[in-house]
Amino acid sequence: MRTLEPGSTIGVLGGGQLGRMIALAAAQLGFKTHIFCPELDNPAQQVADQVTHAEYDDIDALSKFANAVDVVTYEFENIPVSTVETLSSKKPVFPNSRILKVSQDRLQEKMFLNDLAIDTAPFKGVSSVEEALSALEVISYPAVIKTRRFGYDGKGQAIVKRAEDVLAAWNNLTSDQNIIEGFIDFDMEISVIGVRSQDGVVKCYCPVENKHKNHILDISIAPAAIDEEIKKTAIDQATKILNTIDYVGVMTVEFFVSSHAPKLRVNEIAPRVHNSGHWTIEACPSSQFEQHVRAICGLPLGETDFKGQAQMTNLIGDDILQYEKLLAEGRANVHHYGKKEIRAGRKMGHVTRLYDHKD
Ligand code: AMP
């Protein structure tokens, strides 16, 4: 356990809104933040102490960054593993590079989960149309073809309903390293946000229901309306993953919930704070961002309990134009990410509303 004193500097790879909210939580606890990202105009640096603008493979810039910080973390999972390994030789990096490797590749991720006896959609790694067609004979239709790497918000994937769809779907993918997944006829999508400290304490927030619009998270509802058995299994599985890889920091596990067995399947792991955990800022004793800072700085974790109901709604693209109207609600917790340019599909902010909240 390596405890950092307030006044120490947290290095954050990535300059998006997640980095911004990590920096705000770090400031609350007396820490400084240093953002490392290539983008000149980014939401995180507006609230951070320092910024380095450089590419993730710029060894010289990484070395100077490592010298300037006391611990390193990241706010998105497509950071090159080599970047994290370079930094790890100089300063502690949390979470470790093992989870990054696993979560960057949907095939490795599913094999890792199945090895832990955690259910996923049936899957097969494929690298040609012929392999895809023969995998589909086993997995059967409908199915989803996804790129193994660099997919997000529904990008890099297509549903195939019959063999005739496969060639067109394949040609639309940007890679030939792909995965076929059986299509899960789920009732609900949920996620569990969990945190693990350097001395192995694990705490999880209640599972939340996630609703998507145009493949982008639209609303998270806490707690998810699921029975106790599903809730317990989801939290147990998230805990098992955190412990297996000696994880430090906040991790998110996304699940499909079905009425038929297996009732719970993991869709994806995100080795970071997550959009579906933003409600914890106002609803819980310690937010996901504060927990992440506590964990990576070697501090005791806060509590995750929550008794009321919360709804987080993303403000995507033009939704941000409702900013003043939302503020006029008085009780809505409005977050603006400070992005200048409104673009369709761009996450501009979010709003959390609490109902029947008991402190
Ligand atoms: P992903 O990028 O894997 O998180 O997928 C984005 C969204 O597509 C998920 O949140 C689901 O709504 C849907 N999806 C992905 N994979 C499957 C699947 N195997 N079966 C059904 N829906 C899926």
Side-chain angles (χ1 to χ4, degrees):
M1 183 101 159
R2 192 171 166 277
T3 303
L4 294 184
E5 297 286 325
S8 306
T9 302
I10 300 170
V12 181
L13 299 168
Q17 60 270 14
L18 299 176
R20 178 185 177 99
M21 288 183 270
I22 291 172
L24 291 170
Q28 183 195 326
L29 294 181
F31 293 98
K32 297 184 180 128
T33 34
H34 184 153
I35 305 297
F36 186 110
C37 69
E39 298 82 15
L40 293 182
D41 185 20
N42 65 79
Q45 77 176 71
Q46 296 168 10
V47 300
D49 298 88
Q50 283 183 73
V51 62
T52 297
H53 292 128
E55 297 298 328
Y56 293 114
D57 59 358
D58 183 337
I59 299 289
D60 192 39
L62 287 172
S63 169
K64 287 192 185 124
F65 173 70
N67 289 337
V69 303
D70 298 293
V71 65
V72 177
T73 189
Y74 43 91
E75 59 111 55
F76 76 114
E77 60 271 39
N78 286 332
I79 301 278
V81 171
S82 58
T83 301
V84 167
E85 284 171 349
T86 303
L87 291 168
S88 301
S89 64
K90 293 182 188 284
K91 287 288 158 69
V93 182
F94 300 118
N96 60 37
S97 61
R98 183 169 165 218
I99 183 65
L100 200 58
K101 274 183 208 152
V102 167
S103 63
Q104 282 182 355
D105 182 342
R106 294 183 193 276
L107 181 61
Q108 278 197 43
E109 186 175 60
K110 287 201 166 45
M111 293 192 305
F112 165 77
L113 291 163
N114 288 180
D115 284 348
L116 294 181
I118 294 175
D119 288 309
T120 60
F123 65 94
K124 181 104 176 58
V126 289
S127 48
S128 67
V129 182
E130 294 69 34
E131 277 181 29
L133 285 164
S134 60
L136 281 158
E137 277 170 29
V138 182
I139 290 174
S140 86
Y141 297 89
V144 190
I145 305 191
K146 301 180 181 179
T147 54
R148 278 174 58 175
R149 298 167 66 83
F150 303 124
Y152 68 99
D153 288 345
K155 293 191 174 63
Q157 58 179 274
I159 295 175
V160 283
K161 294 193 173 134
R162 56 192 87 78
E164 296 75 57
D165 298 343
V166 176
L167 184 61
W170 188 271
N171 287 337
N172 265 335
L173 298 175
T174 49
S175 167
D176 58 4
Q177 296 301 306
N178 300 319
I179 183 172
I180 305 275
E181 290 181 20
F183 184 86
I184 306 303
D185 186 17
F186 55 78
D187 296 335
M188 191 191 285
E189 290 186 80
I190 63 166
S191 55
V192 171
I193 316 273
V195 57
R196 186 170 179 278
S197 66
Q198 290 181 34
D199 54 356
V201 175
V202 172
K203 291 186 191 255
C204 294
Y205 296 95
C206 64
V208 293
E209 176 178 359
N210 298 318
K211 295 182 188 239
H212 297 84
K213 211 159 65 183
N214 302 325
H215 295 288
I216 300 173
L217 182 66
D218 182 27
I219 292 175
S220 291
I221 301 163
I226 48 177
D227 62 37
E228 277 303 312
E229 183 201 330
I230 301 267
K231 176 180 170 181
K232 184 178 177 311
T233 309
I235 290 176
D236 285 352
Q237 292 187 353
T239 304
K240 192 176 193 180
I241 298 167
L242 285 162
N243 283 331
T244 302
I245 40 187
D246 196 21
Y247 194 99
V248 173
V250 166
M251 183 187 73
T252 307
V253 187
E254 296 179 41
F255 299 87
F256 297 135
V257 182
S258 312
S259 44
H260 45 86
K263 290 185 178 172
L264 206 54
R265 299 176 195 251
V266 171
N267 174 35
E268 218 167 40
I269 305 171
R272 55 171 170 78
V273 289
H274 196 260
N275 196 168
S276 65
H278 292 356
W279 61 280
T280 62
I281 298 175
E282 289 86 11
C284 298
S286 298
S287 74
Q288 61 164 347
F289 301 102
E290 182 181 331
Q291 300 279 30
H292 190 67
V293 170
R294 285 175 179 240
I296 65 172
C297 293
L299 296 166
L301 300 181
E303 293 303 336
T304 50
D305 55 289
F306 171 58
K307 297 213 170 50
Q309 285 195 319
Q311 183 162 315
M312 187 283 317
T313 306
N314 270 336
L315 301 175
I316 295 173
D318 282 346
D319 293 348
I320 198 67
L321 300 175
Q322 300 167 33
Y323 179 70
E324 285 185 26
K325 192 171 149 228
L326 291 167
L327 286 173
E329 271 186 39
R331 287 187 186 278
N333 300 286
V334 183
H335 295 249
H336 191 300
Y337 301 151
K339 297 180 186 177
K340 287 194 197 92
E341 196 192 334
I342 299 177
R343 288 199 296 264
R346 190 175 200 201
K347 291 177 182 167
M348 304 297 295
H350 73 267
V351 56
T352 298
R353 297 179 177 92
L354 302 180
Y355 306 96
D356 302 327
H357 187 247
K358 298 177 196 73
D359 285 320

